[in-house]
Amino acid sequence: MTPTNSPMPLMLHTNSNGKDIQIHTPSSGSNLTPPVTPVGKEIDDSDRSTPSSIHHELDEPATLRQNVCTPLRFTDELEICRDAEERPIEFGRGAWSIVYKARATPSTGPMYTPPSSPAAGTRVYAVKAPLRRDARPVLQAEALTLTRLHFMRDHERYVVPFHGFHTDTKALVMTAVPLALSTYIEDQADLARKRPVSTATMFDPIQGPDSWRDMACKLISGLAWLHSKGSIFHGDIKPHNLLLRTLPTDEPGVEVGAFPYEPLLADFSSALDICGGGPIDANRASYSAFTPPFTAPELLSLTALKAGTVAPSPASDVFSLAATLVAAATGDLLLYPGFNSMQRLAMARDGHQILNFTRSGPNAARVPRNGFVERLIQPAVAKDPAQRIAATEWAALASSV
């Protein structure tokens, strides 16, 4: 009898008709099996290392683009974990991928030269595997983005830890950080509904003013780092793509009421390079999966969509994070509750009015006029992207609000 929560080998199989990848349980002792008929550029064994001139914690994105041309490799054998009903345990899924809980064991085969992963031991990982055949080049491009960010100073403070690209399965291997900001917002909203209504707290963000301010500062600082140091814009910022790592209880400088997590940016499948060299992959703009109402209004305009000129930018990242902070203040991931999907889309296209829309809804009290939430959000949601506050300036504003 197989013990509960024991890992099982991961085998990815793609149907011949191009349908979604299915998960099968191979016999014990099977190694990770690559998907059938790989799509996109394949990486041969001769291209397994980055130049010796690359060292950890480089600070120049241009140097990284020039020297880091292949993703960091993860060479251990992966096994996804399953629950009591023998089902694979998922952390989440999206338009392109599915993320599994997994463990790893050191590979018994020949080890490649760096950059390869260290022995995994018993560490728990999040394995982001392709959900569709055409997702493989998307994940490979994301692996290159994460590799470049991995070599940037302070990356561990702002980006989900990346351990490498598993070439056989076209999967990304990351440290498991199971709590997403979206879940935290829902939990805080549930707690707020259970508390008696009080005039002392009804005008505050649902998690409390100090915690919201601290969270906002951390999130905006992370975006400023991504834009200014990483020279990358994310392209799909929303509560579901922000992971929360618990701070140690003895963390120095943590004040009472502060946000008890360290937010990490995740899911870089829509990320683009803003450092003069154009996109990391010329086809990446078409891969963007928009999620109204967290998408900047200029990306949702009918003119842009029909012309095929939709492309995220640093300004659209700023808007998306501002919308995320509004959702965190109100406790509503829909942002515009009480409306159907078409009405919410129409409101998202007028996203510069997000504060007015919020104040006309059931959560109006959480975003009072001239309050600190409005003062922080308003400059980040200007209708003209060129008029929005830059992430670095926004970080300075957040520390003073």
Side-chain angles (χ1 to χ4, degrees):
M1 186 175 192
T2 304
T4 302
N5 290 332
S6 61
M8 69 178 182
L10 172 63
M11 181 170 70
L12 302 180
H13 174 72
T14 306
N15 294 332
S16 59
N17 58 5
K19 297 295 184 181
D20 290 349
I21 290 173
Q22 304 294 323
I23 297 297
H24 300 276
T25 306
S27 60
S28 59
S30 297
N31 292 323
L32 233 121
T33 306
V36 177
T37 316
V39 175
K41 179 184 177 183
E42 295 300 316
I43 303 173
D44 60 31
D45 287 349
S46 64
D47 196 16
R48 295 273 179 180
S49 61
T50 53
S52 58
S53 60
I54 291 299
H55 299 284
H56 194 57
E57 295 187 339
L58 290 180
D59 287 319
E60 294 297 331
T63 302
L64 289 171
R65 285 200 316 276
Q66 180 181 356
N67 291 282
V68 182
C69 301
T70 57
L72 192 70
R73 295 287 180 259
F74 188 87
T75 57
D76 294 338
E77 296 180 2
L78 292 170
E79 294 178 316
I80 60 173
C81 301
R82 52 188 176 180
D83 60 20
E85 281 74 39
E86 304 298 324
R87 295 172 300 190
I89 298 175
E90 298 180 18
F91 286 135
R93 61 172 65 200
W96 301 101
S97 59
I98 183 168
V99 182
Y100 295 103
K101 179 180 179 180
R103 295 189 181 94
T105 55
S107 174
T108 56
M111 298 296 290
Y112 296 105
T113 57
S116 60
S117 61
T122 58
R123 184 178 298 176
V124 176
Y125 293 97
V127 175
K128 184 176 182 178
L131 191 60
R132 298 157 31 177
R133 290 167 60 92
D134 55 351
R136 295 175 195 163
V138 177
L139 293 191
Q140 185 167 322
E142 181 178 0
L144 183 56
T145 300
L146 287 168
T147 297
R148 290 172 175 173
L149 291 174
H150 174 85
F151 284 103
M152 296 300 300
R153 192 180 306 278
D154 293 331
H155 70 92
E156 64 278 353
R157 294 177 54 193
Y158 304 115
V159 179
V160 61
F162 176 61
H163 298 282
F165 184 67
H166 197 279
T167 307
D168 288 344
T169 57
K170 309 298 181 287
L172 282 65
V173 183
M174 296 159 287
T175 295
V177 185
L179 180 61
L181 179 59
S182 55
T183 302
Y184 173 81
I185 291 172
E186 291 175 328
D187 291 345
Q188 292 298 309
D190 288 340
L191 291 174
R193 283 189 289 267
K194 295 174 182 177
R195 289 193 294 265
V197 177
S198 169
T199 54
T201 59
M202 64 183 295
F203 299 105
D204 293 334
I206 58 166
Q207 69 197 78
D210 293 337
S211 179
W212 187 90
R213 281 193 185 97
D214 188 33
M215 179 193 69
C217 284
K218 290 177 178 178
L219 286 168
I220 296 171
S221 294
L223 184 63
W225 176 89
L226 184 69
H227 287 178
S228 63
K229 299 298 183 182
S231 196
I232 296 291
F233 56 90
H234 187 278
D236 192 21
I237 290 178
K238 56 188 177 183
H240 309 76
N241 288 342
L242 293 162
L243 304 180
L244 304 180
R245 181 167 57 196
T246 304
L247 290 172
T249 55
D250 59 348
E251 182 78 9
V254 176
E255 300 178 0
V256 176
F259 189 58
Y261 299 97
E262 188 173 41
L264 303 171
L265 290 160
D267 193 350
F268 286 82
S269 56
S270 297
L272 295 173
D273 186 355
I274 59 176
C275 192
I280 288 177
D281 184 299
N283 298 319
R284 297 282 290 285
S286 63
Y287 294 146
S288 299
F290 298 140
T291 309
F294 299 103
T295 302
E298 64 271 14
L299 301 181
L300 297 173
S301 70
L302 293 175
T303 302
L305 290 171
K306 288 180 180 179
T309 58
V310 175
S313 69
S316 63
D317 271 0
V318 168
F319 180 94
S320 296
L321 184 53
T324 295
L325 291 172
V326 172
T330 63
D332 201 316
L333 292 176
L334 290 177
L335 275 179
Y336 311 127
F339 296 91
N340 61 40
S341 59
M342 292 304 296
Q343 291 171 322
R344 289 197 298 273
L345 177 59
M347 297 169 84
R349 285 179 172 148
D350 286 324
H352 63 286
Q353 300 186 61
I354 184 172
L355 291 172
N356 291 332
F357 291 150
T358 301
R359 279 195 288 261
S360 65
N363 302 308
R366 302 292 183 181
V367 214
R369 293 188 182 278
N370 301 316
F372 61 87
V373 174
E374 180 184 89
R375 294 198 302 273
L376 186 60
I377 298 301
Q378 191 67 67
V381 295
K383 184 176 182 178
D384 182 357
Q387 298 302 314
R388 287 181 204 141
I389 191 170
T392 51
E393 297 171 356
W394 199 19
L397 176 63
S399 64
S400 64
V401 170

